[in-house]
Amino acid sequence: MNEKLFREMQDAGRVPIDVARMDEDGATLEGATGDILDLHSEYIRPLGGIAYSLEATPAGPELLVRGSLRATLEAECSRCNRTFSFDVSVDGFAESFELDPAAEFLDITDAIREAVILEIPAFPVHDPGCKGLCAQCGADLNDGPCGCAAKGSDSRWGALDGLGV
Ligand SMILES: [Zn+2]
Ligand SMILES: [Zn+2]
């Protein structure tokens, strides 16, 4: 067992499993990763790591890992631009990993990260009923009507009138 490498991985916020010393009953894994969610997004940012609660069970040449994952993220609403935070959870995480008999541990960090990323909405909204911004004046319609709608579909002609056309 390369204790030093194992500790370095844990210190880096990763999730290595000590498979070499695991008995046949498996192991319970509880904790949180470090900041491993590199989303490369201007609009969505992770607030900390991924909390995990997992059961690892050896099954022949594989290790079955099941449980739940949770992460908190911050995003700009795709309709109204306000910043809000939300949780993403994966309740039915289940993944089997092939065990390399020569390996002392198994690193499941990438699988955890990918499972959470799949649950992140491409266009997050701060509320399912978000009314967004007025396309004409930019007002936040969640704060109430801006008046543009009252002018109806003629407003673009109104804008031309304003230009003296
Ligand atoms: Zn919104
Ligand atoms: Zn408006």
Side-chain angles (χ1 to χ4, degrees):
M1 174 72 182
N2 188 335
E3 300 274 2
K4 186 168 176 285
L5 183 55
F6 194 83
R7 237 178 301 115
E8 277 173 7
M9 291 175 81
Q10 284 185 321
D11 289 348
R14 300 185 70 86
V15 188
I17 300 177
D18 184 358
V19 288
R21 287 190 296 193
M22 182 180 291
D23 61 35
E24 59 190 25
D25 294 337
T28 300
L29 311 162
E30 302 267 1
T33 69
D35 285 333
I36 59 158
L37 271 174
D38 286 325
L39 298 178
H40 304 293
S41 167
E42 267 181 78
Y43 307 105
I44 309 178
R45 297 165 292 276
L47 296 177
I50 300 170
Y52 55 85
S53 174
L54 302 166
E55 290 289 333
T57 315
E62 297 185 331
L63 185 72
L64 191 57
V65 180
R66 281 179 294 202
S68 58
L69 309 169
R70 202 182 66 254
T72 302
L73 302 136
E74 182 180 79
E76 264 118 71
C77 176
S78 60
R79 291 185 203 154
C80 74
N81 298 340
R82 78 180 63 182
T83 301
F84 69 106
S85 62
F86 61 104
D87 282 355
V88 165
S89 46
V90 180
D91 291 323
F93 179 80
E95 195 89 45
S96 65
F97 300 87
E98 207 170 312
L99 290 172
D100 176 354
E104 291 177 308
F105 50 79
L106 174 74
D107 181 3
I108 64 166
T109 314
D110 293 341
I112 287 177
R113 179 202 287 124
E114 274 153 38
V116 169
I117 286 177
L118 280 177
E119 294 300 318
I120 299 174
F123 299 101
V125 284
H126 86 276
D127 182 285
C130 176
K131 295 184 175 74
L133 304 178
C134 172
Q136 291 175 51
C137 74
D140 187 339
L141 299 175
N142 296 298
D143 296 337
C146 58
C148 295
K151 291 175 200 151
S153 57
D154 286 330
S155 55
R156 59 200 169 104
W157 300 112
L160 291 177
D161 284 348
L163 293 170
V165 177

